[in-house]
Amino acid sequence: MFKKLSRMTTGTLTAVALLGTAMLTSGDANAEKVLRFSHTDNPGGSRQAAAEVFAEKVSEYTQGRYKVRIYPAGQLANDPKAIEQLQLGGVDFTVSATGSYATHQPSLNLTAMPFLVDTYEQGWEFYDNSAWMKSEFAKLPEKGFRVLSTWEAGFRSFTTSDPLASPKDAEGKKMRVYPNDMIRWTMEAIGFQTVVMPITDVYLSIQQGVVNGQENPVDTIKSLRFYEVAPNITLTRHVYSPLPLTVSEQTWQNFSPEDQAAVQKAANEASAFSRKLVRDSVNGQIEEMKKAGATVSVPEIGPFRDSVQSVYEKAKGIYGDEVEKVLADTAEIRKKLPAN
């Protein structure tokens, strides 16, 4: 009798909770609807700053019909899980490295091929206007999410326990990577052993000697304080690593056309904010990390470029002509927007 009553009570409570949620989200047409935004950056990082701009603009441009609630530092999920939650409608927005989405659209791995672009401007042109990139993003809604805009993180570089002057210094060292074939192949071509783990585990893993280092943009290195446990920062800039802002396709289809336009406008403005913030902050962040005890170096890049040539051939073996399309697009962009 008690067990039966307990089950009935649980079922009743669940029904009440669901009814309450429904009333909050679909009752009064003028009621504020809360949208959940998950990301893994710390509260003081650039992703959080851009997310706050996005949230403010969504509220403004929808006349307060929607409120974006931000959950930083992996409170809801790490990057792969947040993307899965997008597909299920468990979160409404996330922002993560392009390669994080490659689990669901494998050809996006190609954006992480090493040394594709040399400047921010070249990277922006590739992500905003290249034919290949546009075609890739157009495939994502059928996966359960879509790209609204691309935010900035910058170029990936290394933080390691020991100095990294050349690929020879990578031999026998363990490098953390996220689940992305291209990044893993690049690290292995340089000479590292690779260990896949969520970014939220990296600080402690370096501290405990599970891995000898990690690679990320300067903004992420600073925000997540990796320089504290791996104080040798080597500015190889081996991969351009921006952050597509994505929305759950379920959420997107529930917006009216007017609210879709409002959210898109907010995303575009947050992108412009993010790009300017990150580009303009890098030198200052490097100086702050130096003052905190980090050693920052710019190595001779030639040996690193030479060491990763096998990555392009490996990619062609899996992705075929898609590799040439990416290389052709980025070569044309480098010609159009040459580095100073």
Side-chain angles (χ1 to χ4, degrees):
M1 181 68 174
F2 178 79
K3 289 183 178 179
K4 183 177 180 180
L5 179 61
S6 178
R7 286 195 296 270
M8 290 176 63
T9 303
T10 301
T12 302
L13 288 172
T14 301
V16 169
L18 289 172
L19 178 61
T21 300
M23 291 174 66
L24 284 171
T25 58
S26 60
D28 182 352
N30 295 317
E32 182 182 73
K33 300 175 179 66
V34 176
L35 303 171
R36 303 207 302 174
F37 188 149
S38 174
H39 69 79
T40 56
D41 197 14
N42 275 346
S46 68
R47 264 177 278 183
Q48 176 68 13
E52 290 171 359
V53 170
F54 177 65
E56 177 185 335
K57 295 299 183 181
V58 167
S59 179
E60 177 185 345
Y61 296 147
T62 63
Q63 291 78 49
R65 289 189 298 277
Y66 288 96
K67 175 182 179 180
V68 176
R69 183 170 294 159
I70 306 164
Y71 296 85
Q75 290 176 23
L76 295 184
N78 61 31
D79 288 316
K81 291 296 183 183
I83 295 166
E84 290 177 10
Q85 286 298 308
L86 281 183
Q87 296 175 301
L88 298 170
V91 300
D92 301 290
F93 304 102
T94 195
V95 61
S96 185
T98 316
S100 297
Y101 301 99
T103 300
H104 309 282
Q105 180 69 30
S107 48
L108 285 175
N109 273 316
L110 297 178
T111 63
M113 286 193 292
F115 301 109
L116 286 179
V117 297
D118 302 315
T119 68
Y120 287 104
E121 289 76 14
Q122 291 173 4
W124 299 341
E125 180 70 14
F126 177 55
Y127 271 78
D128 292 349
N129 297 317
S130 76
W132 185 84
M133 199 75 255
K134 285 182 177 180
S135 71
E136 289 299 296
F137 283 166
K139 299 171 186 175
L140 294 180
E142 67 184 30
K143 309 292 184 181
F145 52 89
R146 68 173 58 215
V147 173
L148 292 174
S149 65
T150 302
W151 294 5
E152 191 57 82
F155 289 83
R156 302 181 80 88
S157 289
F158 292 102
T159 48
T160 51
S161 303
D162 301 309
L164 181 66
S166 73
K168 186 173 179 58
D169 295 326
E171 294 175 8
K173 303 293 173 55
K174 293 181 180 179
M175 176 60 54
R176 174 267 173 178
V177 296
Y178 64 94
N180 177 274
D181 286 343
M182 208 63 57
I183 293 291
R184 180 170 56 82
W185 294 344
T186 299
M187 296 302 102
E188 291 171 353
I190 290 172
F192 289 107
Q193 300 173 32
T194 56
V195 179
V196 176
M197 69 174 61
I199 197 167
T200 47
D201 295 344
V202 173
Y203 187 101
L204 187 60
S205 294
I206 297 175
Q207 193 173 46
Q208 295 178 340
V210 176
V211 293
N212 302 107
Q214 64 84 51
E215 49 84 49
N216 256 302
V218 166
D219 183 75
T220 305
I221 293 168
K222 174 69 166 56
S223 171
L224 298 182
R225 309 193 322 274
F226 292 140
Y227 63 93
E228 293 178 352
V229 288
N232 294 281
I233 301 173
T234 307
L235 299 175
T236 49
R237 293 166 56 93
H238 50 273
V239 171
Y240 178 60
S241 186
L243 306 163
L245 167 67
T246 46
V247 59
S248 166
E249 189 63 12
Q250 292 182 38
T251 303
W252 183 255
Q253 294 303 332
N254 285 333
F255 290 144
S256 67
E258 293 78 14
D259 287 336
Q260 287 180 350
V263 170
Q264 183 63 67
K265 183 179 180 182
N268 292 344
E269 292 185 11
S271 172
F273 171 86
S274 172
R275 286 175 170 178
K276 185 176 190 308
L277 174 65
V278 172
R279 182 185 60 182
D280 293 352
S281 298
V282 167
N283 290 338
Q285 290 171 330
I286 289 172
E287 289 306 313
E288 286 181 37
M289 290 188 287
K290 282 182 179 179
K291 290 177 182 177
T295 300
V296 180
S297 62
V298 179
E300 183 182 349
I301 297 300
F304 286 94
R305 286 184 182 272
D306 292 344
S307 71
V308 301
Q309 292 305 305
S310 62
V311 175
Y312 307 112
E313 295 306 314
K314 208 168 195 175
K316 289 176 186 176
I318 293 178
Y319 300 101
D321 292 342
E322 294 299 301
V323 176
E324 292 300 338
K325 291 177 184 178
V326 174
L327 295 178
D329 274 5
T330 52
E332 185 62 29
I333 289 168
R334 289 197 305 275
K335 182 178 177 181
K336 175 182 175 183
L337 300 170
N340 293 332

